[in-house]
C-alpha cells in the first residue's frame, strides 16, 4: 500500500499523481520490500521531474500470517497504531521521494494485534492539528488515549474533528490543504 501527497497543485500535480500510481503498481509487482520500492520510486520520480516536484509518502506491506506491518516513510507525516492500551508512532524516516536523484530508505516492522487501528494521514491533517510547536502525533496520541476501546470510526472522527478545528500553520491565514486519512483495523 502507499499513501502519498505530491508537491504543488493543479495539472502538474495531478499528472505526477498518475505517474506515481503507475510506477508504484509496476514496482510492487516485482519488489516486495517497502524501502526498495521507495528507493526505486524516488529514482523514477526524479528522472521525470529532476527534483522540481516530489512526493511524501508511506509505503507499507502487510504480512497477514505474521500480523506485521513493514513500512518505509519518505518525509510523510508519521502514522499511528491505536489500541485500547497504547498508541504507537510510525515514524518518518526519509527524504521526500524524487527530491534527489538517489535516496536510501530504511524500513521498520511493527507487530499488529487483533483490534489495532492504523491511521495514516496527509499533511493537510497533521499541519491542521499541530499547535504551538507541538507535533500533531503527540496531540492526536493524547486525544486517542482518552477513547476507551476505540473503533475505527471514533479514531477517524476524532482526528478529522481535530483537523477541522485546528488553526493550521502558524501565521498563515490563507492556508488550505487537502485532508486525507486512511484507517485500517486488524482482525483475526
Amino acid at each position: 500500500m502507499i499513501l502519498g501527497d505530491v508537491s504543488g497543485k493543479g495539472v502538474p500535480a495531478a499528472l505526477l499523481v498518475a505517474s506515481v500510481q503507475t510506477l508504484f503498481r509496476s514496482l510492487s509487482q516485482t519488489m516486495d520490500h517497502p524501502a526498495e520500492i521507495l528507493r526505486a520510486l524516488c529514482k523514477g520520480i526524479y528522472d521525470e521531474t529532476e527534483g522540481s516536484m516530489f512526493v511524501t509518502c508511506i509505503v507499507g506491506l502487510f504480512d497477514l500470517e505474521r500480523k506485521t506491518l513493514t513500512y518505509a516513510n519518505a518525509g510523510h507525516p508519521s502514522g499511528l497504531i491505536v489500541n485500547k492500551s497504547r498508541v504507537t508512532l510510525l515514524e518518518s524516516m526519509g527524504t521526500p521521494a524524487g527530491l534527489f536523484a538517489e535516496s536510501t530508505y530504511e524500513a521498520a516492522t511493527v507487530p499488529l494485534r487483533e483490534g489495532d487501528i492504523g491511521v495514516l494521514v496527509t499533511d493537510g491533517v497533521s499541519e491542521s492539528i499541530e499547535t504551538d510547536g507541538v507535533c500533531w502525533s503527540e496531540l492526536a496520541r493524547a486525544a486517542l488515549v482518552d477513547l476507551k476501546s476505540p473503533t475505527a470510526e471514533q479514531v477517524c472522527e476524532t482526528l478529522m474533528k481535530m483537523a477541522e478545528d485546528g488553526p493550521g500553520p502558524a501565521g498563515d491565514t490563507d492556508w488550505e490543504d487537502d485532508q486525507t486519512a486512511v484507517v485500517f483495523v486488524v482482525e483475526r
Side-chain angles (χ1 to χ4, degrees):
M1 67 92 197
I2 185 171
L3 174 66
D5 195 6
V6 301
S7 63
K9 300 202 181 303
V11 173
L15 291 172
L16 184 56
V17 166
S19 188
V20 168
Q21 285 178 323
T22 301
L23 185 55
F24 175 75
R25 284 185 182 132
S26 174
L27 292 170
S28 64
Q29 296 299 312
T30 59
M31 301 175 171
D32 63 359
H33 196 276
E36 290 303 308
I37 291 172
L38 203 45
R39 185 190 57 71
L41 189 69
C42 177
K43 180 167 178 14
I45 294 167
Y46 186 86
D47 287 350
E48 187 173 326
T49 68
E50 296 183 339
S52 65
M53 294 181 76
F54 55 86
V55 176
T56 66
C57 59
I58 294 179
V59 173
L61 175 68
F62 293 96
D63 185 326
L64 301 179
E65 287 181 23
R66 293 188 176 120
K67 290 204 185 226
T68 59
L69 168 62
T70 300
Y71 71 95
N73 188 325
H76 201 72
S78 299
L80 302 171
I81 303 291
V82 180
N83 200 313
K84 57 186 166 196
S85 62
R86 65 181 163 75
V87 177
T88 304
L89 185 66
L90 302 177
E91 297 184 55
S92 181
M93 301 176 290
T95 60
L99 193 57
F100 303 107
E102 291 190 27
S103 290
T104 302
Y105 297 94
E106 293 181 30
T109 300
V110 294
L112 299 172
R113 299 181 206 156
E114 184 177 341
D116 280 356
I117 300 167
V119 182
L120 305 173
V121 299
T122 59
D123 65 352
V125 173
S126 64
E127 291 175 3
S128 291
I129 293 175
E130 289 176 1
T131 306
D132 297 326
V134 179
C135 182
W136 89 275
S137 58
E138 290 304 314
L139 296 168
R141 182 182 298 192
L144 295 173
V145 164
D146 288 342
L147 298 175
K148 305 296 182 223
S149 299
T151 66
E153 292 79 12
Q154 287 173 316
V155 169
C156 192
E157 286 172 7
T158 299
L159 291 177
M160 296 313 280
K161 178 72 171 139
M162 290 175 74
E164 181 182 308
D165 294 345
D172 192 344
T173 56
D174 291 334
W175 179 84
E176 189 175 314
D177 200 358
D178 60 297
Q179 296 182 338
T180 302
V182 174
V183 179
F184 61 87
V185 178
V186 179
E187 297 181 349
R188 302 195 259 151

